Amino acid sequence: MRPQKISDRELIDKLFAVFRAKGYSGARINELAALTGLKKASLYYRFPGGKEDIVKAVLVDMSAWSEKNIVGVLESPNLDADTRLEVTLSNINKLYGRGKKSCLFESLSLDDGLQLLGHEIKQSLRTWIRAFTTYGQSIGLNRIAAEKKANEVVTLIQGSLVVSRIMEDNSSWAEAMKRIEKLYNY
Amino acid sequence: MRPQKISDRELIDKLFAVFRAKGYSGARINELAALTGLKKASLYYRFPGGKEDIVKAVLVDMSAWSEKNIVGVLESPNLDADTRLEVTLSNINKLYGRGKKSCLFESLSLDDGLQLLGHEIKQSLRTWIRAFTTYGQSIGLNRIAAEKKANEVVTLIQGSLVVSRIMEDNSSWAEAMKRIEKLYNY
DNA sequence: GTCTATAAAGAGATAGAC
DNA sequence: GTCTATCTCTTTATAGAC
């Protein structure tokens, strides 16, 4: 049992980066290995189930991140509403590199990833929507209105990430962030 | 010279369907052949440059479609403003199967597709934005306001397509369409 | 745990018959 | 124009040494 060359934490982070940028089919084991500094065989040692195993681990990690940094913050009983929103948007902003990085859910919801991971991805996105819905209700919106805003939030996020990526210009992202703030400040 | 088993028109349509759903890496030559009813070798006869040739033909066809059904309509001198918007949205609605089909630009802007087609995709999306900007100006908006709305339109379209795909529910798409109409009716 | 080496399968692409 | 057959290269995955 040699020492690990790279920690689970760092490993997942690097694998995550490839899947978000390339999707499931586009992420090649060779590249995953090269980018993590491990040889292919070592990657298979860490993830015996191969590529499916890897992508699922990445997705599970992303869910945990969401639970902590989105749901946990938006529903935190210790923070006032403004702070909850501010911290959440800051976390989201960081997650997506200020609009310069793609969304894992989007990248994995094409091609082979869809049927392999569709259910988990759907659950994850639903989690985001629910958290924003709860937030909306916490500031006095009725359920319908809160759900509508929550859906608008995730739509703006996804859309601006796609547009920013294609246009190689994150101004769409910046606009979306401003709009999301406004959604809850009026 | 045997007769063509499938017309160029129908061929492109079927190839388009695969690329929009699977992206560049996810679209396998075998599947493209199977779905069009042609054998691989016949596909190579029609597109000597192989996969790159095919995807570029699909993208060029998409550009022509946009020119005719988006730009051409939004900038048509023969129609009043309301009709121009109505027809355009109807065309877009049809293109995306009422929110049930992905956007080719999005699908091709991941993984290998990005560096191969990034420039063309960017140009195509810019075309959409410009057409909506021109439309906004035609109904009295100043350039800045028109550009802002145009960007919001494409962001809503892209975002709601992603959300609808993941959630397996096109209500996000329906909401986005309503919102786009409102953008130009107030 | 990680490595080198290699097997097994898949994908893109071509040759040549019809 | 389309086909069958085949080739090559890539990709996934495993065996076994260290």
Side-chain angles (χ1 to χ4, degrees), chain B residues 8-18 61:
Chain B
D8 283 352
R9 177 68 269 140
E10 199 179 346
L11 187 50
I12 291 282
D13 285 343
K14 298 198 169 181
L15 297 168
F16 171 82
V18 180
D61 186 72

Side-chain angles (χ1 to χ4, degrees), chain A residues 86-154:
Chain A
E86 188 190 331
V87 172
T88 299
L89 292 184
S90 165
N91 288 341
I92 289 176
N93 213 14
K94 200 168 143 196
L95 170 65
Y96 295 119
R98 290 177 170 65
K100 296 204 168 93
K101 294 178 182 170
S102 298
C103 176
L104 182 72
F105 303 149
E106 186 231 337
S107 303
L108 293 182
S109 64
L110 278 178
D111 70 86
D112 310 309
L114 183 58
Q115 65 161 322
L116 179 64
L117 309 162
H119 187 68
E120 285 87 340
I121 295 172
K122 188 174 174 176
Q123 285 301 107
S124 295
L125 193 61
R126 204 197 299 281
T127 296
W128 281 52
I129 294 172
R130 267 209 276 259
F132 274 100
T133 299
T134 302
Y135 176 77
Q137 289 177 304
S138 82
I139 61 170
L141 298 171
N142 65 44
R143 194 176 58 81
I144 304 295
E147 280 178 351
K148 190 168 173 175
K149 291 211 187 208
N151 273 285
E152 197 173 342
V153 168
V154 299

Side-chain angles (χ1 to χ4, degrees), chain B residues 14-174:
Chain B
K14 298 198 169 181
L15 297 168
F16 171 82
V18 180
F19 280 108
R20 93 185 317 181
K22 307 232 175 177
Y24 187 74
S25 302
R28 305 292 157 80
I29 297 279
N30 257 317
E31 191 189 358
L32 294 172
L35 222 114
T36 57
L38 289 177
K39 298 300 174 184
K40 270 189 293 187
S42 306
L43 207 50
Y44 276 96
Y45 177 82
R46 304 286 281 267
F47 300 95
K51 200 172 175 181
E52 291 194 12
D53 214 353
I54 297 174
V55 77
K56 281 178 181 169
V58 166
L59 204 47
V60 164
D61 186 72
M62 173 78 213
S63 294
W65 185 95
S66 298
E67 205 57 41
K68 179 175 176 0
N69 298 284
I70 307 288
V71 184
V73 175
L74 283 178
E75 301 183 354
S76 167
N78 302 320
L79 303 172
D80 65 273
D82 282 357
T83 306
R84 296 205 301 276
L85 184 63
E86 189 191 330
V87 173
T88 299
L89 292 185
S90 165
N91 288 341
I92 289 176
N93 213 16
K94 201 167 144 198
L95 170 65
Y96 295 120
R98 290 177 169 67
K100 295 203 169 94
K101 293 178 181 171
S102 298
C103 175
L104 182 72
F105 303 150
E106 185 229 337
S107 302
L108 293 182
S109 63
L110 277 177
D111 70 87
D112 309 309
L114 183 58
Q115 64 162 324
L116 179 63
L117 310 162
H119 186 68
E120 285 88 339
I121 296 172
K122 186 172 174 177
Q123 286 300 106
S124 295
L125 193 61
R126 205 196 298 280
T127 295
W128 282 51
I129 294 172
R130 267 207 277 257
F132 274 100
T133 300
T134 302
Y135 176 77
Q137 288 176 305
S138 82
I139 61 169
L141 298 171
N142 64 43
R143 194 175 58 81
I144 303 295
E147 280 178 351
K148 190 167 174 176
K149 291 212 188 208
N151 273 285
E152 198 172 343
V153 168
V154 299
T155 299
L156 282 168
I157 290 172
Q158 295 298 332
S160 65
L161 286 176
V162 171
V163 173
S164 294
R165 179 178 73 223
I166 293 175
M167 300 308 291
E168 298 177 292
D169 170 358
N170 65 349
S171 59
S172 173
W173 171 259

